[in-house]
Amino acid sequence: MNIIVTIFLFLLPVFLLLVRRRRSLKRVPPGSLGIPIIGQSLGMLRAMKANTAEKWLEERVQRYGPISKLSLFGKPTVFIYGQAANKFVFTSDCSVLTNQQPQSVKMILGDRCLLELNGEDHKRVRDALVSFLKPDCLKRYVGKMEEEVRIHLETCWKDKQIIKVLPLMKTLTFNIICSLLFGLERGSQRDQMVHYFEQMIEGVWSIPINLPFMRFNRSLKASKDVQKMLKQLILEKRHEFDNNLASSHQDLITCLLSIRGENNQELISETEIIHNVMLIMVAGYDTSSILITFIVRLLAKNPNIYAAVLKEQEEIAQIKSPGESLTWEDLVKMKYTWRVAMETMRMFPPVFGNFRQTVKDIEYGGYLIPKGWQIFWVMAKTHMDSSIFQEPEKFDPARFENSASLPPYNFVPFGGGARICPGYEFAKIETLVTIHYLVTHFTWKLCCTDDFFSRDPMPVPTQGLPIQIVPTKPL
Ligand code: HEM
């Protein structure tokens, strides 16, 4: 026995030496980590603001190749892009990569929101959210979304000549979220929620460099106010549910409360409901409003495409009797309009890219990425790759006529894998319903014809996209 232990103790250091030597043979990717803490953060933020982020990244690719290291927001980072990179990020489980968000996300949205969860916990909470966000469930809410769109156009577009699209689309998407997800009707409670929410969202994606401390603190305080309101809302909805008073039009909160175990105990905790409802508010607000804003911009610049969308939507409107609601079946017919939306997201994806963190030393593309480093994957660059999308600068919805023929992992505006956007169908319905109403009731002209938009981190067109509108049919 002693001999075996002695041999083991002798061999152990040799084994460890060999492992370490193997690891050191692999190189970390080329590039520089720059000045400590700051690294390349300022350069990238500047490029995002100046709408030159793609060029900034392309210069890196020219200099170091498709995989390079840099330092972003105080952490060593590896930048990757392309089909293989997307596949790697979307198919790696939480024993390899975990989600990585700025500390501000955890502070404002809470540590039980999906972005902070991994593995089994992530799956359990995500499945609960998807039970409401899946098409089978959302089908029933097309009419409710339509009602919000109608009221929005009546109050914010009717009798106006010039409007700014982005702020209005933000108002609309927030109202849709309040109505469908929280069952919060129009009135003082909803107005108060908007007030706190607008302050809260300012700080969510912030890092110390881009938001002054005072404003971040205001955002943090607003998050507490939103949480207080949600707590009260949950109390009311739990009472309604337990006493069978819930209306047939369930909202997300009631749906989460209704997920029960064997002894009727709630399976999603109150904290998880609050944190995830706040995440949904944030995740579904900027993204969809930006998508609709960019569609409006592209339709104004491409009259032929506007005409084709109008034709498709008129065909649907014409078979409706006055006041009849849109249905799921109508949305299924809006194939061309959705292709326009897909092409818009190819060229102007609301989400530019995102971060993950390595859980252990990993090998990718022949390089070593050490444990604890960030991975910065950028989808926007893959969408403009001319070897995948011919003439990538051309706005051409026809390229999605046969989207099944697109090789996988190349067009990923909603991400992929275990963290693929659970709000995909929700975003699709609100986009199609809104565009239906816009094209069948208005024509418009851009007031700012420049092509500029900054990324903050989502794309924001100049002055929020002012347009001149002309009604073509009464609402
Ligand atoms: C055009 C609209 C939208 C786009 C382009 C979009 C895009 C994305 C992307 C790319 C991700 C994955 C990020 C990653 O893997 O790191 C994501 C995640 C997410 N999205 Fe969306 N989204 C949109 C609308 C929505 C809506 C309307 C909701 C809610 C109703 C929503 C809720 C979420 C949530 C909760 C996550 C986190 C999922 C997880 O970590 O498991 N999104 N979205």
Side-chain angles (χ1 to χ4, degrees):
M1 186 66 181
N2 277 350
I3 297 175
I4 295 173
V5 172
T6 316
I7 294 174
F8 176 74
L9 288 177
F10 174 74
L11 287 179
L12 186 67
V14 179
F15 174 72
L16 289 176
L17 243 158
L18 280 174
V19 169
R20 184 174 293 180
R21 201 174 121 67
R22 242 195 102 213
R23 177 181 153 174
S24 66
L25 285 178
K26 280 185 218 129
R27 289 180 304 124
V28 293
S32 144
L33 294 181
I35 311 165
I37 302 182
I38 294 176
Q40 287 80 4
S41 314
L42 291 177
M44 197 188 80
L45 285 176
R46 220 177 293 132
M48 298 277 274
K49 283 241 179 284
N51 188 17
T52 53
E54 281 88 347
K55 190 164 158 257
W56 190 82
L57 289 172
E58 184 52 35
E59 280 165 14
R60 289 196 67 77
V61 175
Q62 295 301 327
R63 199 156 161 203
Y64 302 115
I67 307 169
S68 61
K69 71 170 179 296
L70 70 167
S71 168
L72 289 177
F73 316 127
K75 284 202 169 188
T77 304
V78 173
F79 155 63
I80 57 176
Y81 75 97
Q83 186 185 32
N86 292 339
K87 183 172 180 194
F88 167 63
V89 169
F90 300 154
T91 56
S92 295
D93 66 23
C94 64
S95 67
V96 179
L97 296 179
T98 53
N99 211 16
Q100 166 76 25
Q101 298 295 330
Q103 185 65 4
S104 53
V105 170
K106 192 174 181 172
M107 291 171 79
I108 292 177
L109 299 183
D111 59 0
R112 299 302 295 169
C113 85
L114 275 191
L115 302 183
E116 297 294 325
L117 299 180
N118 285 295
E120 276 309 305
D121 263 354
H122 174 260
K123 188 176 174 325
R124 175 178 54 84
V125 175
R126 195 185 149 97
D127 285 352
L129 292 177
V130 169
S131 69
F132 182 83
L133 292 171
K134 64 182 181 210
D136 264 359
C137 188
L138 290 179
K139 268 179 189 180
R140 287 179 272 151
Y141 300 100
V142 177
K144 228 170 153 32
M145 277 210 198
E146 185 181 2
E147 191 185 311
E148 285 295 338
V149 174
R150 263 175 197 269
I151 298 175
H152 172 81
L153 295 178
E154 290 271 356
T155 46
C156 303
W157 288 57
K158 198 174 156 190
D159 302 330
K160 305 274 186 323
Q161 286 174 345
I162 298 204
I163 52 124
K164 284 190 181 180
V165 185
L166 184 57
L168 286 186
M169 285 306 122
K170 287 192 177 198
T171 308
L172 171 64
T173 49
F174 192 78
N175 277 320
I176 293 178
I177 287 174
C178 281
S179 162
L180 266 86
L181 301 185
F182 318 143
L184 203 57
E185 294 308 329
R186 282 168 183 272
S188 58
Q189 231 188 341
R190 200 191 271 191
D191 294 344
Q192 199 172 21
M193 184 67 102
V194 175
H195 172 73
Y196 292 143
F197 174 75
E198 278 174 351
Q199 290 184 359
M200 178 184 96
I201 197 168
E202 205 184 5
V204 175
W205 310 114
S206 74
I207 42 163
I209 308 171
N210 70 356
L211 194 73
F213 184 67
M214 294 282 282
R215 278 181 34 215
F216 179 72
N217 256 0
R218 191 176 69 164
S219 183
L220 205 56
K221 184 180 168 307
S223 145
K224 302 272 175 296
D225 293 325
V226 171
Q227 292 189 37
K228 219 183 284 168
M229 283 193 75
L230 288 174
K231 239 183 172 95
Q232 180 58 33
L233 212 56
I234 291 174
L235 207 69
E236 289 163 20
K237 300 215 172 274
R238 186 181 284 123
H239 172 77
E240 283 172 11
F241 182 80
D242 289 343
N243 294 291
N244 285 329
L245 302 170
S247 77
S248 58
H249 265 281
Q250 262 202 4
D251 52 72
L252 173 72
I253 294 180
T254 313
C255 174
L256 294 177
L257 285 169
S258 70
I259 300 175
R260 304 282 169 116
E262 276 174 12
N263 303 320
N264 199 33
Q265 82 280 16
E266 291 170 16
L267 292 183
I268 309 295
S269 72
E270 184 168 299
T271 309
E272 284 169 345
I273 296 182
I274 294 177
H275 291 183
N276 285 287
V277 160
M278 292 205 298
L279 166 65
I280 295 267
M281 277 185 193
V282 170
Y285 171 74
D286 274 343
T287 46
S288 307
S289 51
I290 282 166
L291 169 60
I292 300 169
T293 302
F294 273 82
I295 296 178
V296 168
R297 179 174 177 262
L298 288 160
L299 289 181
K301 284 165 163 261
N302 296 276
N304 294 344
I305 294 172
Y306 174 91
V309 171
L310 178 62
K311 181 171 176 286
E312 179 174 85
Q313 297 300 339
E314 281 294 6
E315 278 166 16
I316 293 164
Q318 272 159 15
I319 49 168
K320 298 257 148 205
S321 34
E324 192 186 339
S325 289
L326 286 172
T327 60
W328 177 259
E329 288 66 35
D330 295 325
L331 300 189
V332 173
K333 290 183 200 150
M334 300 181 185
K335 292 201 166 37
Y336 183 77
T337 310
W338 187 241
R339 265 180 240 143
V340 170
M342 290 208 281
E343 179 65 344
T344 306
M345 286 186 281
R346 182 187 67 79
M347 293 183 77
F348 307 100
V351 180
F352 185 72
N354 217 337
F355 291 93
R356 296 287 193 269
Q357 179 170 310
T358 54
V359 175
K360 56 185 178 191
D361 285 359
I362 54 169
E363 201 186 320
Y364 174 76
Y367 293 108
L368 167 79
I369 307 181
K371 176 180 172 178
W373 281 34
Q374 283 186 139
I375 304 275
F376 176 40
W377 59 274
V378 176
M379 70 171 70
K381 211 165 149 38
T382 316
H383 288 182
M384 296 304 276
D385 183 335
S386 58
S387 66
I388 307 163
F389 299 102
Q390 279 179 11
E391 295 186 75
E393 303 292 340
K394 186 173 163 199
F395 183 67
D396 179 14
R399 60 175 100 238
F400 288 100
E401 260 162 28
N402 186 7
S403 44
S405 68
L406 263 181
Y409 302 110
N410 281 326
F411 176 64
V412 289
F414 290 96
R419 290 192 182 271
I420 193 168
C421 177
Y424 168 82
E425 291 292 343
F426 190 93
K428 186 170 176 180
I429 301 174
E430 63 186 346
T431 303
L432 292 175
V433 172
T434 308
I435 296 299
H436 172 83
Y437 268 87
L438 292 187
V439 297
T440 53
H441 292 83
F442 298 93
T443 56
W444 57 89
K445 257 191 351 215
L446 298 181
C447 297
C448 274
T449 47
D450 70 38
D451 258 339
F452 185 78
F453 64 89
S454 64
R455 281 197 176 266
D456 192 20
M458 309 233 177
V460 179
T462 309
Q463 294 174 36
L465 196 70
I467 56 170
Q468 189 180 3
I469 52 175
V470 178
T472 51
K473 196 163 69 176
L475 280 158

